[in-house]
Amino acid sequence: IILGVSNSSKVLPTVMSRCKKMHLQPLDNNFIRQILNDMDGQKAENIVHIAQGNLTKALEYSKDQNFQNIFATCLDTLKNMKNSTQLISYTTRLSANKEEFAIVLNIFESLFRDIMLFRLGRQDLLQNKNLIDDIIVLAQDFDCDCVDKIIRKLSETKKQMEFNCNQTVLMDELLLYILEVKYYATKG
């Protein structure tokens, strides 16, 4: 019997004591592209990069009819959220349901990763190469230190989600943090 989990701490200790852990490497993006070959090219590319080598996530995202809208909303948030008065509307749009909340966090992580790579001069490693114009604009608002802080906050938010925290509060906190970091970076 093979038991596949991404968080072994959620498996009962009595089950874990009878298991052997095997850490698997992420799948190659080309392999995931082949699996998603019947899908729209742009949607497939976005899914490949957000899934980060996890075939299960890629298949889940491919079944989500709202994935492209979520992706566009995340990008719109980063580009156009300028002050805290806009926070409530963006929070409402981004924390619609628990399943989509995890997708939102993964999309933000992917976009901030690309911003960091762009700032470091490593455009060859960008995951979302089709968004290069948007990445260039966003890179003007966030320096590497800011992006590092935001990526850490995203990781913290993901951990808090595991404890069934209120996702609206988490999204408010995350977006407010992004605004704060962006403000200090531009006023710097």
Side-chain angles (χ1 to χ4, degrees):
I1 297 175
I2 297 175
L3 175 64
V5 297
S6 58
N7 187 353
S8 61
S9 66
K10 291 192 174 194
V11 178
L12 294 171
T14 53
V15 174
M16 282 300 295
S17 69
R18 291 164 178 80
C19 294
K20 177 180 174 165
K21 285 186 182 181
M22 296 180 65
H23 297 281
L24 304 175
Q25 296 298 316
L27 295 173
D28 182 61
N29 285 347
N30 290 326
F31 177 75
I32 294 177
R33 269 187 206 92
Q34 289 175 348
I35 301 292
L36 302 175
N37 68 355
D38 61 336
M39 187 178 297
D40 168 49
Q42 191 55 56
K43 182 179 179 183
E45 277 305 304
N46 290 342
I47 289 171
V48 165
H49 299 303
I50 302 304
Q52 300 174 341
N54 184 325
L55 183 59
T56 303
K57 282 184 183 179
L59 293 173
E60 285 173 11
Y61 298 164
S62 70
K63 293 175 186 170
D64 190 336
Q65 300 299 319
N66 203 22
F67 180 83
Q68 284 300 92
N69 293 336
I70 297 168
F71 197 96
T73 302
C74 289
L75 188 58
D76 177 61
T77 302
L78 295 181
K79 287 171 44 180
N80 298 314
M81 186 177 62
K82 305 292 184 205
N83 56 53
S84 58
T85 58
Q86 299 170 314
L87 194 76
I88 294 172
S89 68
Y90 282 109
T91 297
T92 302
R93 289 173 24 190
L94 292 171
S95 58
N97 67 53
K98 192 170 186 171
E99 292 77 30
E100 289 180 356
F101 190 82
I103 296 171
V104 167
L105 295 179
N106 288 334
I107 291 170
F108 276 151
E109 191 173 59
S110 174
L111 292 170
F112 278 109
R113 177 193 177 278
D114 281 353
I115 293 167
M116 175 74 86
L117 289 170
F118 182 83
R119 295 288 306 206
L120 294 172
R122 295 303 312 260
Q123 290 85 343
D124 57 312
L125 297 176
L126 294 180
Q127 291 181 338
N128 301 291
K129 291 180 180 172
N130 59 310
L131 300 174
I132 186 67
D133 293 335
D134 295 316
I135 299 296
I136 291 169
V137 170
L138 290 169
Q140 294 171 3
D141 291 337
F142 300 98
D143 62 24
C144 289
D145 186 47
C146 293
V147 173
D148 181 56
K149 288 177 183 177
I150 292 168
I151 290 173
R152 289 173 195 260
K153 182 66 173 174
L154 283 163
S155 295
E156 180 185 314
T157 303
K158 284 181 178 183
K159 286 179 186 172
Q160 290 172 324
M161 275 304 294
E162 292 176 10
F163 297 110
N164 291 325
C165 293
N166 183 314
Q167 65 193 30
T168 303
V169 172
L170 288 178
M171 186 57 70
D172 273 341
E173 184 182 337
L174 176 64
L175 294 180
L176 194 56
Y177 187 79
I178 291 171
L179 271 177
E180 179 183 343
V181 169
K182 184 178 181 179
Y183 173 79
Y184 286 118
T186 56
K187 300 298 180 206

